[in-house]
Amino acid sequence: MDSESKPPTTKNDKLHIVMFPWLAFGHMIPFLELSKLIAQKGHRVTFVSTPKNIDRLPKLPPNLSPRLTFVKIPLPHVEKLPENAEATVDLPYDKVKYLKMAYDQLEHPITQLLRDASPDWVIYDFAPYWLGPITARLGISSAYFSIFIAASLCFMGSAQVLMGMRGDSRMKPEDFTVPPKWVPFESTVAFRLFEINRIFDDILGDDENIPATYRFGAAVDGCDVVAVRSSYEFEPEWLQLLEEIYQKPVIPVGLLPPMPPDHDSVDDTKEWRTIKEWLDKQPKRSVVYVAFGSEAKPSQDELTEIALGLEQTGFPFFWALRKKQGLADAEAVELPDGFEERTKGRGIVCTSWVPQLDILSHNSVGGFFTHSGWSSVVEAIQFEKPLILLSFLADTGLIARVLEEKKMGYAVPRDDRDGSFTRDSVADSVRLVMVDEGGKIYRDKVREAKGLFVDRDIQDKYVNGLLDYFKTHNQKA
């Protein structure tokens, strides 16, 4: 374990908070955004992760580095976990369970760190289901921070339901395709059959791993308070219901939009300059940006239909494509024969990392074809980009239902049983959201939502609310 720099300790230090996210960038980045906002208020934050992940995180603004410290804990070796894999982005889906097994072996070093650092609060993720009792034993207050929206959490149920201790009659995938009995208002928020089938093994668990649902339940059960990446402006009824379901305080921390790119203060990378040159040549709001997050990889059939659908639209496109999920992925997907030649100049397919925030902020981008991951949705709405939705894993299907209800996104029509879709439905969906008169509602709703998603005063109010709660409910106070 090593600390990159030791923060100064003075009598005037306010709270000291330790952050411990799950090893996925869709989790680490929101934890980091919240860490930065807390550090801006003058509090000390210790952000704990593995060495490779910390090295891959965005660099801190210089003014925050005295108060925001990164601590690296080496990831223990686990059989079947590929060498150098420290995050879900490094792995195919079926190997993520071994990453969780390695993560669970961080229990001893994180306990030692907490004993030595004696922080006021620990903010942890769903994966370290074992951490709540440890913080209680050490006399440290704890918050479970959910990067999942309240609607998704409500759908999954109480801690007791999640841990298999009480009354969830949902035993087969079909049971998850309707809203649960504890949702008292009308809602379409539920999985489609293909969505739940893709993650059902993680819900049930297997001989090699703890079920994800149990981890969630124990994380909620063991904490003093639940913090949620959401806001009352976005989903008031779900946040209220969640507090009733959990029977403990639920505090929204805002939507945590990342700070817009500032190219005057950072060195533009060569990659971004090349992308920007191409984007600069495209007409305003004409480009469809295509990206399905760091964990979702379309099947070969899905990839083919996406590609041919994009080709059919005639629109310029920029596609951030993951052909493989890390070096251990033996099943790379390939673009259709002749696709890149036929779309040369009109479309770009990039198979390496791309600066998503920079691309979304560019005025030539007119729509975002996305997997409905919450971070991507927040970033898109921050820059008024209407959403074409194609869900894959985790709770992206539930997020898609919420966005569809609010007319903030349009989902590509699919077969409910196997999730299949056609190139025609891809082309029609992209055209609808980008330019058709019938899709104006989606463009308008995203424009309206931008204010509540990026309003810094609203965001500030939520962070202040969390910190006020931390100060008044600190076990050490």
Side-chain angles (χ1 to χ4, degrees):
M1 187 191 307
D2 73 80
S3 172
E4 294 202 335
S5 65
K6 290 197 180 292
T9 53
T10 72
K11 289 179 182 174
N12 296 324
D13 269 343
K14 301 178 185 178
L15 295 171
H16 178 201
I17 297 167
V18 167
M19 291 280 192
F20 189 46
W22 164 232
L23 306 177
F25 281 90
H27 292 244
M28 289 183 273
I29 297 299
F31 267 74
L32 183 60
E33 289 298 325
L34 183 57
S35 298
K36 290 193 290 192
L37 292 170
I38 291 171
Q40 280 175 3
K41 305 281 184 187
H43 302 281
R44 278 174 57 209
V45 179
T46 300
F47 190 102
V48 183
S49 193
T50 64
K52 187 176 175 184
N53 287 326
I54 283 177
D55 290 343
R56 290 187 284 191
L57 288 171
K59 295 291 174 270
L60 283 182
N63 64 311
L64 293 185
S65 51
R67 291 190 296 277
L68 209 171
T69 308
F70 291 113
V71 172
K72 299 176 177 179
I73 303 183
L75 188 69
H77 175 72
V78 165
E79 194 183 349
K80 299 184 186 174
L81 181 66
E83 200 71 31
N84 295 320
E86 292 190 13
T88 55
V89 71
D90 304 322
L91 294 163
Y93 176 70
D94 63 346
K95 295 250 187 325
V96 170
K97 60 185 175 183
Y98 304 118
L99 186 66
K100 287 180 180 170
M101 290 164 73
Y103 186 83
D104 286 341
Q105 291 190 25
L106 296 176
E107 180 176 347
H108 177 72
I110 192 77
T111 302
Q112 191 58 50
L113 182 149
L114 294 176
R115 192 177 283 122
D116 294 344
S118 191
D120 299 291
W121 281 83
V122 178
I123 300 180
Y124 64 85
D125 213 325
F126 82 98
Y129 65 98
W130 32 264
L131 193 53
I134 292 169
T135 58
R137 197 168 65 243
L138 295 174
I140 299 167
S141 303
S142 66
Y144 159 53
F145 173 35
S146 169
I147 60 107
F148 303 96
I149 61 173
S152 299
L153 298 175
C154 288
F155 180 86
M156 295 312 294
S158 67
Q160 290 71 30
V161 164
L162 288 161
M163 295 165 77
M165 291 158 55
R166 184 196 300 160
D168 188 0
S169 55
R170 300 179 295 183
M171 302 305 294
K172 54 187 191 298
E174 289 78 5
D175 298 332
F176 290 83
T177 61
V178 292
K181 59 194 176 191
W182 50 79
V183 174
F185 44 81
E186 201 171 314
S187 172
T188 61
V189 175
F191 286 109
R192 291 181 179 158
L193 189 57
F194 73 89
E195 291 167 340
I196 191 65
N197 276 334
R198 290 180 179 191
I199 60 170
F200 201 60
D201 61 328
D202 202 23
I203 285 176
L204 290 182
D206 57 30
D207 293 340
E208 292 185 294
N209 207 353
I210 306 288
T213 45
Y214 185 87
R215 289 178 186 272
F216 274 106
V220 171
D221 189 55
C223 72
D224 297 306
V225 60
V226 176
V228 184
R229 186 188 186 183
S230 188
S231 72
Y232 287 114
E233 290 81 2
F234 181 71
E235 48 170 0
E237 72 283 21
W238 290 109
L239 283 162
Q240 188 178 337
L241 176 61
L242 190 63
E243 199 157 61
E244 293 169 20
I245 290 172
Y246 283 171
Q247 292 292 294
K248 60 174 59 183
V250 170
I251 302 178
V253 299
L255 301 171
L256 304 176
M259 294 300 287
D262 180 359
H263 296 296
D264 294 330
S265 65
V266 296
D267 294 329
D268 281 356
T269 62
K270 183 181 175 187
E271 290 86 350
W272 168 238
R273 285 199 301 274
T274 305
I275 294 166
K276 185 177 183 299
E277 281 172 20
W278 183 81
L279 289 171
D280 286 345
K281 294 172 187 167
Q282 311 308 317
K284 192 175 180 182
R285 303 193 76 83
S286 68
V287 176
V288 56
Y289 172 55
V290 187
F292 301 117
S294 59
E295 294 185 43
K297 186 186 83 173
S299 69
Q300 184 59 61
D301 286 346
E302 290 170 337
L303 182 78
T304 299
E305 296 305 311
I306 292 166
L308 297 177
L310 287 172
E311 184 179 350
Q312 208 172 292
T313 65
F315 294 162
F317 62 86
F318 188 99
W319 188 354
L321 172 63
R322 290 181 59 76
K323 289 188 173 186
K324 290 178 71 170
Q325 293 288 86
L327 297 173
D329 189 352
E331 298 179 17
V333 289
E334 298 296 338
L335 291 162
D337 286 347
F339 171 77
E340 288 183 277
E341 291 76 27
R342 293 192 303 273
T343 58
K344 192 170 184 182
R346 174 164 74 83
I348 289 181
V349 179
C350 185
T351 55
S352 57
W353 178 85
V354 302
Q356 178 160 295
L357 212 59
D358 293 289
I359 294 169
L360 285 171
S361 69
H362 198 281
N363 65 13
S364 71
V365 174
F368 186 14
F369 192 5
T370 173
H371 64 308
S372 315
W374 191 223
S375 287
S376 290
V377 168
V378 170
E379 289 174 10
I381 293 173
Q382 181 176 2
F383 296 110
E384 292 183 33
K385 308 303 180 188
L387 300 161
I388 306 105
L389 310 173
L390 193 71
S391 61
F392 285 96
L393 292 172
D395 69 330
T396 55
L398 302 179
I399 295 170
R401 300 303 97 74
V402 173
L403 295 170
E404 287 176 283
E405 279 186 0
K406 295 177 179 292
K407 300 291 186 193
M408 289 167 63
Y410 179 81
V412 174
R414 303 168 82 166
D415 185 301
D416 273 358
R417 293 156 302 169
D418 63 11
S420 60
F421 53 90
T422 67
R423 62 201 68 172
D424 291 343
S425 63
V426 168
D428 291 345
S429 302
V430 171
R431 283 195 202 100
L432 175 74
V433 171
M434 294 272 288
V435 297
D436 287 357
E437 186 58 33
K440 185 174 182 292
I441 181 75
Y442 304 104
R443 300 189 289 275
D444 288 347
K445 287 291 183 183
V446 163
R447 200 171 297 119
E448 287 169 23
K450 175 186 174 175
L452 72 93
F453 270 61
V454 301
D455 188 309
R456 291 287 157 188
D457 291 337
I458 292 177
Q459 180 60 71
D460 203 46
K461 174 189 76 173
Y462 283 116
V463 174
N464 284 337
L466 178 73
L467 291 169
D468 287 346
Y469 186 91
F470 279 6
K471 288 172 192 170
T472 55
H473 294 79
N474 179 9
Q475 288 186 33
K476 296 186 172 181

